[in-house]
Amino acid sequence: MGAEERDRDGSIAALKKVAAQFAVSVTPHLQAQIDPADPKDPIARQFLPDAAELVTYEHERTDPIGDEAHSPVAGIVHRYPDRVLLKLVNVCPVYCRFCFRREMVGPGSKGLGAEQLDSAIDYIASHPAIWEVILTGGDPLIVSPRRLKEVIERLNAIPHLGVIRIHSRVPVVDPARVNDEMVAALKSSDKAVWLLLHANHAREFVPEAVAAIRRLVDAGIPVLGQSVLLKGVNDSPAALTDLFRAMVANRVKPHYLHHGDLARGTSHFRLSLEEGRQLMRRLRGHTSGLLQPTYILDIPGGHGKVPVGPAYAEPCEDGSWTITDPWGCSHRYDDPAMG
Ligand code: SF4
């Protein structure tokens, strides 16, 4: 056996080990987007397993954002007073290699059974402080339009709910799912239904994906974008600018840019907070205000999300402020309202 064959066998064995630990799936739609000749293909990097996933560190966690500690009943995560996550399913059409719930999602994971769904909805109905329900998972748009409609109708009947939010990657990874029935299911509520689209690279906005987003937006469903800052995918000013321009040009407002969570086997995607802040500073100075998401850290252990982007205003001892402009120059600001 030659060195090349040994290497190939070694890589295949490593990939089998990765697949034994973390779910792998790529939709035919995404497969068609991957350029096999490009070793830096940003679609391949996000979805194809990599031997680097076998490298884990003590600071990495199986439940990086502490879902378990805030789960009063199966399927519900209640971390903030006015909103809950409702994890309808634990499966996705694709499995992102940096997924923060990678230990919980996958084809072997069970979604909510009928009784568990009843209990989850009873929990929401019996807590009047809950104003917003976030359907997540897994990817909630993997379920049939009929099932989605049933769930939305049950949530619609809870008077204290104001908003139903759906977190999904489906419009860009499996756009054919966003058909008329799916759009009708999303519209089957008197309450506002918002969709948060997870996309990380401008290359995800191919014509089929753009058409799926258009079906949602044209139906009156507000769409926001959420992205993860990923080394080798979008860790440059140009890649972030292209991504957020693709969103805004398709009527998707960039909402959050997440700092990568400490999921096991994801260190090859990780940047430092300072690198993330530098990128955000650069965006602020060079691109439209519409392109500015909030740079967010989900504090490990379930302590909530906070903005961690660069600060532009610092108080001074004499009561004035030092304000940094988008290009890094400082200016004194005497606040007239402070007398
Ligand atoms: S779609 Fe979401 S839940 Fe599913 S693998 Fe990707 S990041 Fe994880």
Side-chain angles (χ1 to χ4, degrees):
M1 185 187 278
E4 203 175 296
E5 280 174 277
R6 275 202 306 277
D7 284 355
R8 198 179 59 225
D9 285 354
S11 319
I12 290 170
L15 294 183
K16 280 186 178 163
K17 267 194 197 168
V18 172
Q21 284 189 46
F22 305 114
V24 178
S25 171
V26 183
T27 55
H29 168 81
L30 276 184
Q31 237 161 10
Q33 316 306 328
I34 294 173
D35 176 359
D38 180 1
K40 294 186 173 169
D41 186 291
I43 307 293
R45 184 155 170 86
Q46 290 186 72
F47 300 108
L48 297 187
D50 189 314
E53 294 172 54
L54 297 172
V55 180
T56 57
Y57 292 93
E58 266 182 28
H59 58 256
E60 294 179 333
R61 301 169 179 232
T62 53
D63 180 12
I65 65 167
D67 280 353
E68 278 301 314
H70 296 278
S71 182
V73 297
I76 293 283
V77 177
H78 196 175
R79 203 185 323 265
Y80 305 95
D82 74 337
R83 57 200 186 275
V84 290
L85 305 184
L86 172 54
K87 297 204 254 179
L88 207 51
V89 287
N90 291 325
V91 288
C92 307
V94 292
Y95 292 103
C96 312
R97 306 321 305 161
F98 48 85
C99 175
F100 63 126
R101 295 207 176 103
R102 59 191 332 211
E103 315 272 350
M104 301 157 211
V105 297
S109 319
K110 288 203 173 103
L112 282 190
E115 283 179 20
Q116 288 173 320
L117 181 61
D118 289 348
S119 304
I121 289 187
D122 285 349
Y123 180 88
I124 297 167
S126 61
H127 287 76
I130 299 173
W131 176 77
E132 182 179 14
V133 171
I134 300 163
L135 293 186
T136 181
D139 195 317
L141 294 195
I142 201 170
V143 306
S144 69
R146 184 186 52 76
R147 176 140 193 253
L148 186 67
K149 186 164 182 270
E150 276 169 19
V151 174
I152 288 180
E153 283 176 350
R154 291 181 72 180
L155 294 173
N156 192 44
I158 300 175
H160 55 262
L161 287 186
V163 168
I164 300 167
R165 200 197 313 176
I166 317 261
H167 281 192
S168 180
R169 212 149 169 29
V170 159
V172 288
V173 302
D174 202 2
R177 280 185 185 274
V178 186
N179 55 21
D180 290 347
E181 290 75 29
M182 180 68 82
V183 172
L186 293 170
K187 292 281 290 174
S188 62
S189 170
D190 304 328
K191 303 184 193 293
V193 174
W194 288 63
L195 192 129
L196 261 91
L197 169 68
H198 174 181
N200 301 317
H201 196 275
R203 283 257 316 273
E204 292 167 51
F205 290 76
V206 295
E208 297 91 331
V210 165
I213 294 166
R214 188 174 300 142
R215 285 194 284 279
L216 293 164
V217 179
D218 285 351
I221 298 164
V223 183
L224 299 177
Q226 61 172 344
S227 309
V228 185
L229 183 59
L230 298 167
K231 189 183 276 185
V233 176
N234 57 21
D235 58 331
S236 69
L240 288 176
T241 301
D242 289 350
L243 167 63
F244 298 139
R245 281 186 177 165
M247 286 186 180
V248 172
N250 288 292
R251 295 176 286 169
V252 177
K253 170 73 184 85
H255 177 54
Y256 280 164
L257 175 65
H258 291 270
H259 189 73
D261 294 308
L262 297 178
R264 285 194 314 133
T266 61
S267 59
H268 53 302
F269 286 113
R270 202 161 291 139
L271 286 111
S272 69
L273 267 183
E274 187 47 35
E275 287 170 311
R277 286 162 66 97
Q278 292 292 353
L279 286 164
M280 289 303 295
R281 242 184 229 115
R282 168 82 191 185
L283 277 188
R284 172 69 60 187
H286 295 81
T287 59
S288 157
L290 285 175
L291 269 58
Q292 315 292 324
T294 305
Y295 182 37
I296 283 284
L297 175 71
D298 222 317
I299 305 170
H303 305 289
K305 289 188 187 71
V306 285
V308 289
Y312 295 94
E314 291 291 338
C316 304
E317 280 182 7
D318 66 359
S320 69
W321 290 81
T322 300
I323 308 291
T324 307
D325 70 26
W327 301 278
C329 298
S330 298
H331 308 271
R332 180 185 169 103
Y333 179 73
D334 292 304
D335 189 347
M338 293 300 286

